Amino acid sequence: MASQELRAFLKSIDSRYVDHADAIHKGEFTNQAELAAADRTDLEKLGIPKGAAGLIIAAAAGKGFGDTIASDQQVALQLLANPVSQEPQGVTDLEAFLFDASARLPVSVQPFELIKSADPNLADALYLSGDCRIRRVVTAALLLSDTVLGTGGSTELDTTRWIIKFSEVLEALDSANPNGVQMLLRWNSSEKEVSYVVSKSASGKGAARVDTVASACRLSLLFGEDKVVGSRGLEEAWRDLQAKLASGYPALFYGQIPYLLVYAAAGVNIQFGRLLPLGQMERVGRVLNVTLLADRILLCCVLVNIVRLLVLWVKHAPEITDRVPFHKPMERPHGTRIILKGTSAVKEISDSQAFYAEFGHSFEAIQAAHLRAQSCHTLVHHSSVEEVKVRKRGPDGAHMTKLRVVMTRLGYTQASVGIVPEHVMQKATRACLLACACLHSAEPKAVCHCDVRFANVLWDPEPFLADMEFAHFSPWQVKQDFSLQDWDEGTLDDMGCYTPQSDTYQIGVMLLKSRHLSANGLVFAQKLKSKTIKAADAAEDPYLQTPIFMPGGGTHIH
C-alpha cells in the first residue's frame, strides 16, 4: 500500500491523483525520487492517463512544469466543475457561496513550495498545474509584491493596480470556459460604451464613471470602487457605490437576476456586496487584506465563484437584451413607435386622431386608463400621457397630433404562452384580473382594457398588464366585422358591445392558450368565459390561490 508521503505528494499536485497512489506503489515507484526518474510510459502502463502521468513526473522532478503545457479549458472546467443551478438568496447564503474555497487553485512549483514552507495548510488550497494562462494569472496574483500593493504612501491608482491583477483571473477563467459569457472589464469608463446603463452621475444626467465595470451580453454585472488608504477609505468607496447605483437596475434588461455584485476597495482592503433591483446595497462577508497570503488565496477563490454565478445570470437575462435597440426607435403597427431609455420607455402614435377614428375611441379614454393604473400594482405606470402637436398638417390644414406616453414601469416578456408552466399562467391570470378590476371600477365611467393578451403581460419580475392604447370607456359599440388579436365570436355581447365582462372573457381565452393546464385550470378558464363572474371576484378564486407545479414545469418565478 502506498505510503502517506507518496499520497501527500500526489495530493499536492491534484487531489484526484491520490486515487493513483496504490497503482504507482505496485509499479514499484515508492517515493518522489523514483517518480522523477520514471518515464511517462511507465506510469501509463499502470493505468494512469497520459496527461496526469506527465504532470506527476514533472512535479517529482521539480521542473516547475516548465516543459509541460496544460489546457486552459481543462483547468477552467476543473475550477468551475460545479455549475450553479440557483443563485444564493440571502446575504448569509451568498457569503457562504462566494467564500467557498473548495476549488483548488493552479500554480507552478515555485510558489507552491514557498507557500507550503510558509503554511502547509494554505498549500492545501493549491495544486501544481502545467503552464497555461490561468496558472500564470493566479500565480501573479498570489505573489504580488509590495510595489504592486502600494503599501507605502498609497494612491487610488495603487489600489486599482492590484485590482487589475486580480481581475485578470476573472478574464482568464471566463475566456477559457466553454460556457463563458464573454466578459468585458472596463476601468473608469462610461457604462454606455459597453452595456445598458445602471449607474447615474451626480447630476442625474448620463452614466457615472464607476471605477470597475464587468459586463456581458450588454449587461453590467459587477461594479467596483477603488479608494486610497485611510481610516475612512473603504467607507468612502461604499458611499460612492451607493450614490452611483442608487437607481437600481431595470427588470426590462435584467429579468430575474435577483442582485448584482459590487466591491469596495481601499488601499490593501477589499469587501464584496450586492446591489438589489431597487438600489439597496448590502455588504457580504468580511474585509480581505491582500497583504495577507491567506486572503489573496481566498480572493482568488471568490473570483472563481463569481464566474460561476455570472454564467447563471446571463442565462436568467431575458432574450430581449440581445435584440432590443437602446435609445433607438422601434416601429410597431398602427403608426406606433417605442424608444427605450433604460429607466423609462416612450411610446408614440404618430397620427393620433386617425388612430382614434380607426378604432372608435379617444384620448380621454386612454388618459383615464393610465391615470387609474397609477394606483394599481398590476398595471403599467407612467409619468405623462399627452397629445402633442406636430408640424405636419392634416387634409383640413390643422396641425396633426401624436399620442405620447412615458412609461416608468418596465418589464420583460415571458416565453410563448403555450409553453409556460401552469403556475406562471396562474400569476399572469390573477394580475390581469386585478388590473381589469381596477379599470372597471374607474369613475365616472368604467374603462375596459380591450387588448388583454399574454404578450401584453410584462414582468419585473412580478407580472403586470401593459399596452393600454386600445382602452375604451364601457360600453364600446364595436364596428361590424372589426376585431383585435385573440378576439373570437364570444368576445362581444349580444349588442355587439365590448364590456367589462369582455375583458374577463379574454383572460379566459388567454388562459386556455396554455398547453399545461390542469383540470382545475380548464374549469376556471371556462368560468371566465361564461361572463357570469366579475374580474374582482375571479381574482380571489381558489384556483389562483395555490400554485400548481406540474412535472417538468420549469422554475418558480419569485
Side-chain angles (χ1 to χ4, degrees), residues 74-81 103-106 127 134 173 304 308:
Q74 289 179 344
V75 172
L77 288 174
Q78 179 175 326
L79 286 169
L80 307 170
R104 301 174 70 218
L105 304 171
Y127 78 95
I134 296 175
L173 264 177
V304 170
R308 294 170 60 209

Side-chain angles (χ1 to χ4, degrees), residues 259-277:
Y259 49 82
L260 305 181
L261 293 176
V262 296
Y263 78 79
V268 294
N269 295 323
I270 185 170
Q271 186 177 24
F272 288 90
R274 67 177 188 171
L275 172 70
L276 300 178

Side-chain angles (χ1 to χ4, degrees), residues 23-75:
I24 290 172
H25 179 76
K26 288 179 182 178
E28 298 184 355
F29 299 103
T30 59
N31 55 48
Q32 185 174 339
E34 290 174 352
L35 279 172
D39 186 80
R40 189 175 65 192
T41 56
D42 295 332
L43 297 189
E44 290 176 29
K45 291 176 182 177
L46 300 174
I48 298 172
K50 181 178 179 181
L55 291 175
I56 291 170
I57 291 171
K63 295 178 182 178
F65 293 84
D67 58 353
T68 305
I69 304 298
S71 161
D72 268 301
Q73 186 176 112
Q74 289 179 344
V75 172

Side-chain angles (χ1 to χ4, degrees), residues 154-163 226-229 265-267:
S154 179
T155 66
E156 187 170 309
L157 181 59
D158 291 319
T159 304
T160 302
R161 190 178 291 120
W162 68 257
I163 287 289
D226 307 337
K227 297 298 178 187
V228 299
V229 168

Side-chain angles (χ1 to χ4, degrees), residues 109-399:
V109 169
Q110 180 186 8
F112 179 81
E113 293 298 338
L114 287 172
I115 293 169
K116 186 177 180 180
S117 62
D119 188 339
N121 291 327
L122 292 181
D124 288 341
L126 313 172
Y127 78 95
L128 292 167
S129 164
D131 185 42
C132 63
R133 184 188 174 206
I134 296 175
R135 187 192 80 170
R136 290 194 295 271
V137 296
V138 169
T139 299
L142 296 183
L143 298 182
L144 285 179
S145 65
D146 287 347
T147 303
V148 174
L149 292 174
T151 51
S154 179
T155 66
E156 187 170 309
L157 181 59
D158 291 319
T159 304
T160 302
R161 190 178 291 120
W162 68 257
I163 287 289
I164 290 175
K165 280 289 183 185
F166 278 94
S167 299
E168 290 174 357
V169 176
L170 275 178
E171 284 187 306
L173 264 177
D174 177 64
S175 62
N177 179 14
N179 300 312
V181 297
Q182 298 181 325
M183 186 189 309
L184 180 62
L185 277 160
R186 298 291 290 267
W187 287 274
N188 195 30
S189 61
S190 172
E191 274 185 280
K192 192 172 182 179
E193 300 173 18
V194 294
S195 62
Y196 300 108
V197 177
V198 171
S199 60
K200 293 290 181 295
S201 62
S203 65
K205 298 179 180 179
R209 287 186 174 269
V210 184
D211 290 337
T212 302
V213 178
S215 62
C217 298
R218 297 209 67 194
L219 298 174
S220 297
L221 300 171
L222 181 147
F223 296 92
E225 277 290 310
D226 307 337
K227 297 298 178 187
V228 299
V229 168
S231 59
R232 303 293 295 172
L234 206 59
E235 292 303 316
E236 186 180 348
W238 280 116
R239 281 198 303 273
D240 271 14
L241 280 171
Q242 183 66 74
K244 293 177 180 180
L245 304 175
S247 298
Y249 54 91
L252 173 64
F253 303 119
Y254 286 83
Q256 298 177 65
I257 297 176
Y259 49 82
L260 305 181
L261 293 176
V262 296
Y263 78 79
V268 294
N269 295 323
I270 185 170
Q271 186 177 24
F272 288 90
R274 67 177 188 171
L275 172 70
L276 300 178
L278 297 180
Q280 307 98 316
M281 198 165 293
E282 299 173 331
R283 304 186 193 189
V284 178
R286 67 178 179 85
V287 176
L288 301 179
N289 182 336
V290 293
T291 63
L292 304 176
L293 180 57
D295 280 8
R296 295 204 293 272
I297 292 173
L298 186 54
L299 179 52
C300 284
C301 291
V302 169
L303 297 175
V304 170
N305 294 324
I306 286 175
V307 172
R308 294 170 60 209
L309 197 53
L310 297 190
V311 170
L312 176 69
W313 281 351
V314 169
K315 291 180 181 177
H316 275 196
E319 292 181 8
I320 200 168
T321 54
D322 297 324
R323 55 184 171 82
V324 171
F326 203 52
H327 295 289
K328 295 179 182 178
M330 294 180 287
E331 303 298 334
R332 291 291 186 265
H334 311 298
T336 303
R337 170 181 289 186
I338 301 174
I339 302 175
L340 296 174
K341 295 187 175 182
T343 57
S344 66
V346 178
K347 180 179 284 189
E348 295 179 339
I349 295 177
S350 57
D351 186 352
S352 55
Q353 295 303 320
F355 179 74
Y356 303 146
E358 180 180 358
F359 297 105
H361 62 336
S362 63
F363 170 71
E364 288 74 22
I366 296 172
Q367 185 181 48
H370 279 91
L371 290 174
R372 187 67 177 153
Q374 293 297 85
S375 61
C376 180
H377 71 281
T378 57
L379 278 166
V380 68
H381 296 165
H382 72 282
S383 61
S384 65
V385 181
E386 57 185 342
E387 287 265 66
V388 181
K389 284 187 177 181
V390 297
R391 290 184 179 181
K392 190 175 179 180
R393 295 179 182 270
D396 59 358
H399 283 285

